[in-house]
Amino acid sequence: MSLRSIGKYLALARHFSTEAARRTTSTAGSGGTGGVDTLGRRLLSLVYPKRSAVIAINKWKEEGHTLPSKYQLNRMVRELRKNKRFKHALEVCEWMTLQKDIKLVEGDYAVHLDLITKVRGLNSAEKFFEDLPDKMRGQPTCTALLHAYVQNNLVDKAEALVSKMSECGYMRSPLPYNHMMSLYISKGKIDKVPKLFEELEVNTSPDVVTFNLLLTACASENDVETAERVMLQLKKAKVDPDWVTYSTLTNLYIRNASVKNDCLEKAASTLKEMEKRTWRKTRPAYSSLLSLHANMGNVDEVNRIWKKMKDCFRKMSDEEYICMISSLVKLGDFAGVENLYREWESVSGTNDVRVSNLLLTSYVDQGQMEMAENFCNQLVEKGVCLTYTTWELLTRGYLKKSDVKKFLFYFRKAISSVNTWIPDPILVQEAFTVMEKQVHIEGAEQLLVILRNAGHVNTNIYNLFLKTYAAAGKMPLIVAERMKKDNVLPDEETHRLLDLTGKMCVSDVSGVLS
């Protein structure tokens, strides 16, 4: 499992560790029922960050309404946070601190600190923590600060804070341990996770998030045996596994199916257990089911889960269409991809280029480059803003076709579509290999110009460039001068190729020299 995948899982795990608590909160306190005008409704209707929650509260008061209780205000803050309206939630918290009749406790300040981190950054959060009265710097606010350090990948600060929390007896909950485990996993420090788990077991009891993180650590090491031992520990601790537990384990089994005979059978079993724990309130689990079934090649199951989702939810999101279409691309169901794309187009209206790129991927995978190009032209006509990924797909498609002219055309477009291009050594290597086979020295010159303009040339690139000339039996012009200008040092291979091409006829492609 890549670190990016781990990061996504960790965010998901944190989300679902609190989801049950959130769901028990009625929306009546924040928005009321029916069309009743409430302060909660007004706060949720602000939408734009520039609008002020404090002005909305003061106006409510000026109109003669009774101000909500602290309990109701906290519910409003929870609803705002759930809707990612962090700035307005913070304004409500700050307003509450100025009210003499509202008595705040540590938990309130912990929420306040978390919101400051999200809205104003870590430095402001640290200052807020330092300015708190001593009696408010307890377990909840320390854990909130620890979470801020984890979000910012600050290992040293997180470890120092945990040490202080341990001295103060604030490590009696699995939450700070889970935070540290997630940090170590995201930073690739997997070796620190087992010891941390041992400390957790001494001071408190692990929860399902703890075990899910242990499984994630196993997945990052591709360690099936240890993952199965973790599952035994989970059962021994009488912790109920959730869908994330089985999703992580299933993914691990699938990745090892080619080397372990029983892994595919185990994956099928854990996938069934996962589906048993998938319902309306765990909606993201459905997308995970789609992806896992696709990875196992279960086209019928992918279609069954999609139908189940449509029966369960009124409307599918763009992300869910992306997941389903990606699954069909992976399964090679290109007709299904096209049909589902047209369906999405008719119901969404967002012009999300990520979805369009999936249909484009389908065309490229089939080698239908003319259809791919026509499709991109249609997108441009519709006003869709094409991205680097779009141009890169066309670039790779034409490279696979060994069409140097169109490869170079779309490669230029791809690089010019981003402020900073992250080099892809494999793509560059493959391109020069095609040009060497075709003895296409003009293409090699143009590719070198593109790479120089992007600021990404090195010794290996110049060597690949020289090999194309050697294959063509031609001598390139002023290579040493160009390398010097680019601050690229020649190696033994460069000197060999320069000596070899130096004995050949001079090329006549000076018109494309950079």
Side-chain angles (χ1 to χ4, degrees):
M1 183 180 286
S2 67
L3 289 181
R4 182 178 295 179
S5 299
I6 291 171
K8 288 181 179 178
Y9 164 73
L10 297 176
L12 206 56
R14 286 193 290 269
H15 170 76
F16 281 99
S17 66
T18 57
E19 186 67 17
R22 286 178 177 175
R23 292 293 184 179
T24 57
T25 303
S26 169
T27 57
S30 60
T33 57
V36 177
D37 182 26
T38 67
L39 178 57
R41 273 186 180 277
R42 292 192 186 185
L43 291 173
L44 285 169
S45 69
L46 292 175
V47 182
Y48 299 107
K50 287 185 178 180
R51 294 183 179 177
S52 169
V54 175
I55 290 175
I57 294 171
N58 290 337
K59 187 176 180 182
W60 178 263
K61 184 178 179 182
E62 289 167 7
E63 291 173 1
H65 297 292
T66 302
L67 287 173
S69 65
K70 176 195 165 187
Y71 172 72
Q72 291 172 317
L73 287 165
N74 281 339
R75 288 168 69 180
M76 293 176 200
V77 169
R78 282 198 296 272
E79 284 296 309
L80 289 167
R81 292 175 79 196
K82 188 167 72 173
N83 286 278
K84 300 189 183 302
R85 301 273 292 285
F86 303 123
K87 186 251 187 185
H88 293 140
L90 176 59
E91 288 174 344
V92 175
C93 287
E94 290 176 335
W95 181 86
M96 288 169 68
T97 63
L98 300 175
Q99 309 310 304
K100 294 180 179 179
D101 57 335
I102 295 180
K103 185 178 180 181
L104 300 176
V105 296
E106 281 185 74
D108 301 317
Y109 286 111
V111 171
H112 196 155
L113 190 151
D114 179 68
L115 288 167
I116 289 174
T117 304
K118 287 180 168 64
V119 177
R120 296 181 188 143
L122 181 61
N123 290 339
S124 296
E126 287 181 315
K127 187 175 187 313
F128 176 81
F129 181 80
E130 290 167 4
D131 292 341
L132 284 173
D134 289 343
K135 63 180 181 180
M136 291 299 167
R137 280 186 284 183
Q139 188 269 333
T141 47
C142 283
T143 303
L145 182 60
L146 176 62
H147 185 218
Y149 288 147
V150 170
Q151 287 178 311
N152 286 273
N153 291 314
L154 299 173
V155 175
D156 292 342
K157 284 192 172 185
E159 288 178 337
L161 179 57
V162 164
S163 179
K164 290 180 181 178
M165 290 175 68
S166 184
E167 290 174 10
C168 297
Y170 295 159
M171 300 292 286
R172 300 296 179 186
S173 156
L175 186 57
Y177 290 101
N178 292 345
H179 284 326
M180 288 304 298
M181 286 171 67
S182 71
L183 178 58
Y184 287 142
I185 293 169
S186 67
K187 298 292 284 186
K189 298 177 179 289
I190 308 299
D191 56 308
K192 293 197 173 190
V193 172
K195 184 180 178 182
L196 193 63
F197 179 67
E198 290 174 7
E199 292 177 14
L200 183 155
E201 288 189 302
V202 171
N203 293 314
T204 184
S205 298
D207 60 12
V208 67
V209 175
T210 309
F211 285 108
N212 288 346
L213 287 165
L214 288 174
L215 288 172
T216 301
C218 295
S220 69
E221 300 282 284
N222 207 31
D223 189 344
V224 173
E225 288 76 14
T226 304
E228 290 178 336
R229 286 197 294 272
V230 168
M231 287 300 290
L232 291 174
Q233 286 178 290
L234 179 147
K235 292 175 183 177
K236 187 177 179 181
K238 297 182 179 178
V239 172
D240 290 328
D242 60 12
W243 73 266
V244 178
T245 314
Y246 286 109
S247 175
T248 308
L249 192 57
T250 302
N251 188 53
L252 183 56
Y253 281 140
I254 291 171
R255 281 196 282 121
N256 284 273
S258 61
V259 293
K260 295 180 182 291
N261 294 331
D262 60 345
C263 273
L264 206 56
E265 185 179 338
K266 288 179 177 179
S269 175
T270 52
L271 206 47
K272 288 179 182 177
E273 291 299 320
M274 177 183 167
E275 188 170 349
K276 290 176 185 176
R277 292 159 177 80
T278 302
W279 53 313
R280 288 185 63 88
K281 292 183 179 180
T282 61
R283 184 164 178 167
Y286 286 99
S287 293
S288 183
L289 281 171
L290 288 174
S291 297
L292 292 168
H293 276 300
N295 289 340
M296 293 180 70
N298 299 333
V299 63
D300 291 339
E301 287 298 290
V302 166
N303 288 318
R304 180 182 67 81
I305 296 297
W306 182 247
K307 183 179 182 303
K308 191 174 180 180
M309 290 172 70
K310 284 190 161 186
D311 291 341
C312 196
F313 304 109
R314 186 177 61 86
K315 184 181 179 182
M316 299 294 104
S317 67
D318 283 355
E319 285 70 22
E320 286 163 337
Y321 271 105
I322 287 170
C323 184
M324 180 58 182
I325 295 174
S326 297
S327 298
L328 294 179
V329 169
K330 190 176 293 182
L331 291 164
D333 183 2
F334 300 121
V337 170
E338 197 155 32
N339 290 336
L340 198 57
Y341 177 80
R342 302 305 172 199
E343 177 188 308
W344 167 80
E345 209 174 23
S346 68
V347 298
S348 176
T350 63
N351 282 337
D352 190 332
V353 73
R354 294 176 302 164
V355 187
S356 304
N357 284 341
L358 290 171
L359 181 55
L360 184 63
T361 299
S362 170
Y363 291 142
V364 172
D365 285 351
Q366 295 174 82
Q368 297 177 339
M369 294 310 300
E370 187 176 344
M371 288 184 69
E373 207 164 5
N374 290 338
F375 176 61
C376 283
N377 292 334
Q378 291 169 16
L379 292 175
V380 172
E381 288 173 7
K382 290 179 182 178
V384 178
C385 184
L386 303 187
T387 63
Y388 174 82
T389 302
T390 312
W391 303 123
E392 187 191 34
L393 283 166
L394 291 171
T395 299
R396 292 182 182 278
Y398 279 115
L399 180 60
K400 192 175 180 181
K401 290 277 189 180
S402 297
D403 188 330
V404 171
K405 184 178 178 181
K406 289 206 169 182
F407 160 76
L408 291 168
F409 175 77
Y410 285 111
F411 191 40
R412 280 194 191 92
K413 276 187 170 290
I415 291 180
S416 64
S417 69
V418 290
N419 293 325
T420 303
W421 179 61
I422 300 173
D424 186 337
I426 296 175
L427 176 66
V428 173
Q429 173 94 33
E430 289 175 353
F432 274 115
T433 299
V434 168
M435 291 171 192
E436 183 183 348
K437 286 179 180 178
Q438 295 185 9
V439 293
H440 204 312
I441 57 176
E442 287 189 16
E445 285 283 359
Q446 290 178 42
L447 180 55
L448 184 64
V449 170
I450 294 170
L451 295 170
R452 291 183 80 195
N453 290 340
H456 292 292
V457 284
N458 54 38
T459 306
N460 183 57
I461 286 172
Y462 266 101
N463 288 346
L464 291 169
F465 167 76
L466 287 167
K467 283 181 180 179
T468 307
Y469 268 94
K474 297 287 184 178
M475 180 178 71
L477 297 176
I478 58 170
V479 174
E481 289 85 343
R482 284 189 269 178
M483 291 183 75
K484 185 176 181 181
K485 185 178 178 181
D486 293 332
N487 294 317
V488 174
L489 296 175
D491 60 10
E492 289 184 14
E493 178 69 358
T494 315
H495 289 300
R496 185 188 71 80
L497 289 165
L498 285 171
D499 289 342
L500 177 63
T501 56
K503 300 170 185 175
M504 298 173 176
C505 298
V506 178
S507 68
D508 56 354
V509 294
S510 57
V512 297
L513 292 179
S514 55

